């Protein structure tokens, strides 16, 4: 329905609607009806970090009695070599019949034509095929990793921002309508009311689950498209929150926002913006978190399907030695599974509506990072070692009953 896009779906939502006990066994996540999760390992270290996430999810499921059924799909340069396209129809069909999708890294460089001119466009093709229109890009500074940020610790301590970016339209729409001649090029930069309403719906739902504060970022003083974006965004939020005082929507121009993001990042909670501005803001936010390629991401479609994977969609080789890090641990950082594990946590929270299970996974992650901090090492960011540490952390938590009750995140 126009402007009514649901971000979460799953068993917790069903419980909230008051379903009785005789129906629970048939709900998603039960042994009779497990969640169906498609996973697309991708290229390079994609399969390695994807397996890390699956191992952690299986370990988590053992303790929560939440049942998951995984099915693999071919994606990326491997698919291009085997089937002639980065996103085969079979993979699209698999994703559409799943409850959520986990996606690994794609390709080995941003601009290489090693396997054909379109070899780096798999993620965009997947987004178009699945109708993905909104991206969530969190920036969270873990206490154990505050020193990785280029900003002063006082500026980033406790930082937790969620960027909501429209990704299907605007200046970077899926279908490029550029008209190029020898001395001139023209490209469409447009939004419809429905496209703005859809992303506004996502931003509102995220804000409702957080502190209710939304910052809209645009350039409404110079761009007619931005002025339209602002007007329709406000119109939707006002209609959806009529009579309520818990949602606060403020506007900032993109230039003012970028300056404030560096000087006072904790001022922001939920940030919503258009495709082009979101592409830029996401990179700045990622840099604030440091160089370790830890950021997860989520993409949502209008039919409720969602895709989860590292915010850096390419392998580390596309971003420079060690994924942009200068500390010499190129191998460990390039196989670092944290972004994929955090993406799995986002999948539990938003794709499967299992927030208690997501919280458990985050607690295990915090324990592993704390143990690593005590050892003063980054070497254990390597996939196998980090995965083993996550499984042991979950076992430790289960041993001391640091798990949620079956009524919260299991059967």
């Amino acid at each position: 329905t126009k402007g009514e896009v649901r971000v979460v779906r799953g068993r917790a939502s069903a419980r909230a609607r008051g379903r009785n006990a005789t129906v629970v066994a048939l709900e998603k996540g039960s042994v009779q009806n497990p969640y169906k999760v498609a996973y697309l390992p991708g290229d390079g270290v994609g399969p390695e970090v994807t397996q890390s996430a699956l191992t952690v999810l299986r370990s988590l499921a053992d303790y929560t009695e939440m049942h998951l059924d995984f099915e693999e799909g071919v994606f990326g340069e491997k698919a291009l070599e085997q089937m002639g396209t980065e996103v085969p129809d079979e993979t699209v069909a698999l994703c559409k019949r799943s409850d959520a999708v986990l996606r690994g890294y794609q390709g080995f460089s941003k601009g290489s034509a090693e396997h054909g001119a379109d070899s780096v466009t798999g993620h965009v093709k997947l987004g178009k095929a699945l109708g993905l229109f909104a991206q969530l890009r969190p920036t969270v500074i873990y206490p154990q990793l505050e020193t990785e940020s280029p900003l002063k610790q006082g500026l980033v301590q406790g930082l937790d921002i969620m960027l909501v970016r429209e990704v299907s339209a605007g200046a970077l729409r899926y279908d490029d309508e550029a008209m190029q001649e020898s001395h001139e090029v023209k490209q469409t930069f447009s939004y419809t009311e429905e496209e703005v309403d859809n992303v506004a719906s996502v931003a509102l739902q995220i804000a409702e689950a957080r502190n209710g504060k939304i910052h809209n970022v645009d350039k409404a003083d110079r761009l007619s498209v931005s002025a339209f974006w602002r007007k329709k965004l406000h119109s939707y939020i006002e209609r959806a929150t009529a009579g309520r005082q818990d949602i606060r929507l403020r506007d900032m121009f993109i230039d003012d926002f970028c300056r404030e993001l560096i000087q006072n990042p904790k001022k922001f909670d939920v940030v919503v913006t258009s495709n082009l501005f979101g592409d830029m803001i996401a990179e700045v936010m990622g840099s604030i978190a440091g160089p370790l390629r830890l950021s997860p991401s989520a993409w949502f479609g209008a039919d409720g399907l969602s895709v989860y994977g590292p915010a850096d969609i390419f392998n580390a080789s596309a971003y420079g030695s060690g994924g942009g890090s200068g500390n010499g641990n190129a191998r460990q950082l390039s196989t670092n599974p944290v972004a994929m594990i955090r993406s799995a946590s986002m999948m539990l929270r938003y794709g499967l509506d299992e927030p208690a299970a997501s919280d458990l996974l985050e607690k295990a992650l915090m324990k592993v990072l704390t143990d690593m901090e005590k050892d003063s090492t980054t070497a254990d960011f390597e996939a196998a070692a980090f995965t083993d540490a996550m499984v042991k952390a979950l076992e430790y938590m289960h041993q001391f009953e640091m798990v949620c009750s079956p009524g919260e995140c299991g059967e």
Side-chain angles (χ1 to χ4, degrees):
T1 303
K2 179 180 177 181
E4 297 180 357
V5 180
R6 292 302 303 165
V7 172
V8 294
R9 59 181 184 172
R11 181 168 44 193
S13 293
R15 285 196 297 271
R17 291 193 296 270
R19 292 189 176 185
N20 59 50
T22 61
V23 183
V24 170
L26 298 180
E27 290 178 358
K28 280 292 184 181
S30 67
V31 64
Q32 295 92 343
N33 192 18
Y35 290 118
K36 297 185 181 300
V37 177
Y39 68 97
L40 316 180
D43 311 307
V45 300
E48 190 172 359
V49 298
T50 301
Q51 283 301 320
S52 292
L54 297 182
T55 298
V56 172
L57 284 171
R58 290 187 179 104
S59 181
L60 177 67
D62 287 342
Y63 303 141
T64 61
E65 298 184 24
M66 174 184 63
H67 298 273
L68 303 166
D69 184 13
F70 300 104
E71 186 172 352
E72 181 178 354
V74 184
F75 169 73
E77 293 190 5
K78 179 180 179 181
L80 183 64
E81 293 172 350
Q82 294 180 355
M83 308 179 74
T85 176
E86 303 94 324
V87 187
D89 291 342
E90 295 86 346
T91 297
V92 174
L94 168 63
C95 293
K96 288 184 176 180
R97 65 173 181 263
S98 301
D99 296 302
V101 180
L102 274 176
R103 175 197 53 72
Y105 291 115
Q106 169 207 336
F108 301 97
S109 66
K110 294 182 180 180
S112 172
E114 179 183 357
H115 298 290
D118 293 332
S119 63
V120 296
T121 60
H123 176 73
V124 174
K125 290 183 177 181
L126 182 68
K128 181 180 178 181
L130 298 181
L132 306 180
F133 68 89
Q135 178 189 20
L136 296 188
R137 174 77 179 263
T139 298
V140 177
I141 305 296
Y142 292 105
Q144 304 90 337
L145 299 174
E146 288 174 1
T147 57
E148 295 293 334
S149 174
L151 301 185
K152 295 179 180 179
Q153 284 185 253
L155 291 176
V156 299
Q157 191 172 45
L159 183 65
D160 184 352
I161 306 175
M162 181 67 80
L163 173 65
V164 182
R165 171 193 171 193
E166 202 289 324
V167 294
S168 67
L172 302 175
R173 62 176 54 248
Y174 289 135
D175 294 312
D176 186 0
E177 300 175 358
M179 298 177 60
Q180 187 165 354
E181 300 178 2
S182 59
H183 301 290
E184 183 181 16
V185 62
K186 295 181 181 180
Q187 190 166 4
T188 300
F189 180 15
S190 65
Y191 272 108
T192 66
E193 181 176 3
E194 183 173 4
E195 288 166 343
V196 179
D197 282 357
N198 282 344
V199 75
S201 172
V202 173
L204 176 58
Q205 291 176 65
I206 299 300
E208 287 173 333
R210 293 167 65 97
N211 68 12
K213 183 170 66 175
I214 306 172
H215 276 88
N216 165 57
V217 178
D218 58 36
K219 193 60 178 170
D221 59 334
R222 296 298 302 276
L223 296 174
S224 297
V225 174
S226 270
F228 176 87
W229 167 279
R230 180 181 291 196
K231 178 181 178 180
K232 296 304 179 182
L233 187 77
H234 275 263
S235 177
Y236 177 88
I237 298 295
E238 289 168 5
R239 293 196 311 271
T241 62
R244 294 166 50 186
Q245 303 297 321
D246 58 320
I247 301 297
R248 294 150 290 161
L249 174 61
R250 298 181 175 90
D251 301 299
M252 291 189 75
F253 298 136
I254 179 65
D255 42 357
D256 296 330
F257 171 81
C258 288
R259 180 181 62 249
E260 196 69 12
L261 180 62
I262 298 301
Q263 294 180 343
N264 187 17
K266 286 189 284 187
K267 172 180 180 178
F268 304 104
D269 189 72
V270 174
V271 176
V272 61
T273 193
S274 60
N275 202 345
L276 179 62
F277 296 151
D279 190 42
M280 303 172 187
I281 292 170
E283 294 304 313
V284 178
M285 287 185 173
S287 296
I288 289 175
L292 296 182
R293 292 169 59 84
L294 305 182
S295 297
S297 196
W299 294 264
F300 296 100
D303 61 354
L305 181 63
S306 46
V307 177
Y308 303 84
D312 295 322
I313 65 174
F314 298 96
N315 275 279
S317 59
Y319 302 95
S321 176
S325 172
N327 66 6
N329 290 324
R331 167 63 186 169
Q332 287 83 359
L333 296 181
S334 66
T335 62
N336 170 5
V338 176
M340 198 68 186
I341 291 171
R342 291 181 64 197
S343 298
S345 176
M346 291 186 75
M347 181 189 74
L348 292 171
R349 186 176 305 279
Y350 299 113
L352 305 183
D353 197 11
E354 296 285 358
S358 177
D359 288 344
L360 279 177
L361 196 155
E362 289 289 334
K363 289 178 182 178
L365 178 60
M366 290 289 285
K367 183 181 186 313
V368 173
L369 292 177
T370 298
D371 292 343
M372 288 175 60
E373 183 183 35
K374 292 177 181 178
D375 294 338
S376 300
T377 178
T378 60
D380 286 342
F381 271 121
E382 190 271 330
F386 198 92
T387 304
D388 183 60
M390 285 290 297
V391 171
K392 289 179 179 178
L394 287 168
E395 291 174 349
Y396 174 88
M397 292 166 62
H398 183 253
Q399 178 183 357
F400 291 97
E401 298 183 350
M402 297 169 63
V403 296
C404 53
S405 69
E408 290 178 320
C409 64
E411 293 182 42

